[in-house]
Amino acid sequence: MKYQNLVVGITGGIGSGKSTFCEILTQNNFPVIHSDNMAKEIMAADDAVKKRIIETLGTQSYFNDGKINTHYLRDIVFNDFEKLQILNSIVHPAVIKKTKEKIEDLKKNNHIIFVESALIYEANFDKLFDFIILIYSEQRERLRRVKQRSNLTDEEILKIMQTQIPDEEKRKYADIIVENNDNIDELKSRAKFILTILNTLLL
């Protein structure tokens, strides 16, 4: 089957290396929509979303200057699965809507569009993509990477991991699995190989 355009999702748990993989794609001049960053932008700027978050999770969700109280929200949602679901039900629809709009805009000048999201399956928008790539790393390696770039403890990182569908489960649904337990050169080589395959699928 040949495609006029390809929309490819990129997912993986925290610390899997999906952001690094996306940087490689960007360096090769492919557009990448970062849905997780988009979610933060929406939470910070969308008045309707902010209002609902404050109503359901409390006024402490934002500082007096309007900025997101990330620490407060993280403590709430990663210790209360029901509240995490509430937050996701507020933010995900807005993210999906904006992602769709951005995809349509990028299709005008690009044949392959990538969308990075940690929660493709959790947010139920896997049907948006022609193919889904899972960036997979062993848990020990993921813990090491996250601790290296943040102040989170093992316990905090594991709590975040527990809110996501295990990557072992996602392997059953992904179209392409990229093993990322090696060095950056190996990841670049795998990305190049995938780009070659995807280009052969275009009209």
Side-chain angles (χ1 to χ4, degrees):
M1 183 175 177
K2 293 286 187 176
Y3 298 81
Q4 183 72 42
N5 297 95
L6 276 173
V7 182
V8 182
I10 299 169
T11 194
I14 183 171
S16 61
K18 62 186 178 301
S19 295
T20 303
F21 186 82
C22 289
E23 285 173 17
I24 296 167
L25 299 177
T26 302
Q27 290 165 7
N28 282 274
N29 300 313
F30 287 90
V32 180
I33 300 169
H34 300 278
S35 288
D36 299 335
N37 292 343
M38 193 184 291
K40 293 174 187 173
E41 291 168 8
I42 288 169
M43 288 172 66
D46 188 310
D47 290 336
V49 167
K50 288 173 73 171
K51 183 172 182 289
R52 289 187 63 199
I53 290 173
I54 290 168
E55 286 173 350
T56 54
L57 299 176
T59 56
Q60 289 176 276
S61 301
Y62 292 86
F63 294 111
N64 291 334
D65 60 3
K67 290 183 180 177
I68 305 166
N69 188 341
T70 307
H71 185 76
Y72 170 78
L73 285 176
R74 186 174 66 218
D75 281 352
I76 284 184
V77 300
F78 292 135
N79 287 291
D80 189 328
F81 185 67
E82 186 177 335
K83 287 182 177 175
L84 174 61
Q85 288 182 307
I86 290 169
L87 179 63
N88 287 342
S89 72
I90 295 169
V91 178
H92 285 168
V95 171
I96 293 170
K97 180 176 181 290
K98 192 167 182 179
T99 300
K100 287 179 178 178
E101 291 170 355
K102 204 152 188 177
I103 287 170
E104 290 308 310
D105 186 51
L106 286 169
K107 277 183 178 179
K108 297 170 187 173
N109 297 302
N110 299 275
H111 293 296
I112 305 177
I113 298 107
F114 292 94
V115 179
E116 176 197 9
S117 175
L119 304 177
I120 283 177
Y121 297 108
E122 291 84 347
N124 294 314
F125 74 119
D126 48 303
K127 298 293 184 290
L128 189 65
F129 307 107
D130 298 301
F131 298 99
I132 296 176
I133 298 171
L134 172 67
I135 311 299
Y136 179 85
S137 294
E138 294 171 2
Q139 182 171 293
R140 182 177 59 183
E141 180 63 17
R142 292 167 61 195
L143 281 167
R144 184 192 68 78
R145 289 174 187 155
V146 178
K147 286 172 69 176
Q148 195 174 50
R149 74 186 190 212
S150 72
N151 296 319
L152 296 176
T153 64
D154 281 2
E155 184 183 3
E156 289 171 323
I157 299 165
L158 288 169
K159 277 185 180 179
I160 295 172
M161 289 180 177
Q162 287 165 8
T163 67
Q164 300 175 348
I165 297 171
D167 281 357
E168 286 71 20
E169 182 72 15
K170 292 178 182 178
R171 289 177 74 104
K172 300 175 186 176
Y173 308 115
D175 300 292
I176 301 169
I177 298 167
V178 176
E179 302 282 350
N180 184 32
N181 296 299
D182 301 307
N183 56 49
I184 186 69
D185 289 332
E186 288 293 334
L187 190 61
K188 286 180 178 177
S189 176
R190 287 163 189 158
K192 185 177 179 181
F193 178 68
I194 289 167
L195 289 171
T196 301
I197 292 173
L198 292 178
N199 273 303
T200 66
L201 300 176
L202 295 171
L203 289 171

